[in-house]
Amino acid sequence: MNKKYIFFDIDETLTNDNPGGIVTESTKRALRKLKENGHFVAIATGRANHFAIDFAKENEIENMVCDGGNGLTINYKLISLEPLDFDISNQIIDECREKGIPYCVAIDNTPLLYTNSPVKYANDEMKFQVIEDMNLDFHKVDQILKIFISCTPEEENNIVSMHQLGYMRYFQTGCIVEPLDKYKGIIKMVEYLNGNKDDIVVFGDGKNDLSMMQQAPISIAMGNAIDELKDIATFITHRNDEDGIEYACQHFGWID
């Protein structure tokens, strides 16, 4: 059997819930057997490297496509990280500032976020430290990686510039402008490893998995996945909390 390059989303794919889910014993067993059988195992996540690296280490997954496809981690080391489009990002920030919409910005691979908005950013679902600096000019920073915007679903339609870049609403309280093409990073990783792109396999459940599910030779939707993914998947497995990853890997003969 050809060596497969298998990429897993984290939340509600590798884990059984979002947030705060755990990796089930059957999933741990499947990951271990995949490696023993010579397959390449990696994470494909929208999370920033700094936010996902502890999870990767805890579960002994050394390689990771992170930051929604813009970051590559090999052997737990971040080797590349592409920022968002700088000019469009600043258009979004400027528009939010003018309209009094709270925001904060990730400018490096750390848990710190920054804002120069007079309106305080608040998000009870996501715990992070926000540095408030009214003199900070985002037009002069080196890069912009993500933009966190506190807005209702109705308000997001009024942020015109935000629609030029991809964004996700993980919680009712706000959106995150972030990369949404995990497959771009997957291709880069497989090329870096001199692997065969025809042997790529992806597992996912949510909207930010759409690009990789559309493009991968083999795409596996979890039983708990959104219908949009199930409609295009090569295979629909069981739920993440019903041994879905192990079942799919056994179905394709990658493990026994």
Side-chain angles (χ1 to χ4, degrees), residues 9 44-47 65-71 82-85 145-147 156 162-170 175-186 206-215 228-229:
D9 173 56
T45 181
R47 295 188 192 184
V65 171
C66 55
D67 291 83
N70 278 24
E82 179 184 341
L84 294 174
D85 182 280
L145 300 176
K146 294 190 179 189
I147 307 169
E156 77 179 59
M162 185 171 72
H163 297 270
Q164 297 181 70
L165 293 178
Y167 68 91
M168 287 291 297
R169 177 175 291 277
Y170 297 106
C175 297
I176 306 177
V177 179
E178 62 180 4
L180 292 178
D181 191 358
K182 293 181 181 181
Y183 201 67
K184 177 178 71 173
I186 289 171
K207 187 176 179 180
N208 68 344
D209 299 319
L210 187 59
S211 73
M212 69 176 187
M213 296 288 285
Q214 289 172 325
Q215 299 176 77
E228 194 173 1
L229 292 192

Side-chain angles (χ1 to χ4, degrees), residues 1-65:
M1 178 185 294
N2 290 345
K3 176 180 181 177
K4 296 298 181 184
Y5 295 81
I6 308 177
F7 295 82
F8 298 91
D9 173 56
I10 294 179
D11 299 304
E12 295 192 280
T13 297
L14 282 174
T15 67
N16 62 359
D17 201 0
N18 180 23
I22 63 170
V23 179
T24 65
E25 288 304 314
S26 69
T27 295
K28 291 179 181 179
R29 185 167 58 241
L31 295 177
R32 185 178 65 252
K33 287 183 177 180
L34 286 170
K35 290 183 183 180
E36 290 172 353
N37 289 347
H39 300 297
F40 177 84
V41 173
I43 289 168
T45 181
R47 295 188 192 184
N49 168 274
H50 70 80
F51 187 35
I53 194 66
D54 287 345
F55 175 90
K57 290 178 178 179
E58 288 168 6
N59 293 282
E60 299 181 350
I61 305 175
E62 299 89 346
N63 306 294
M64 178 167 57
V65 171

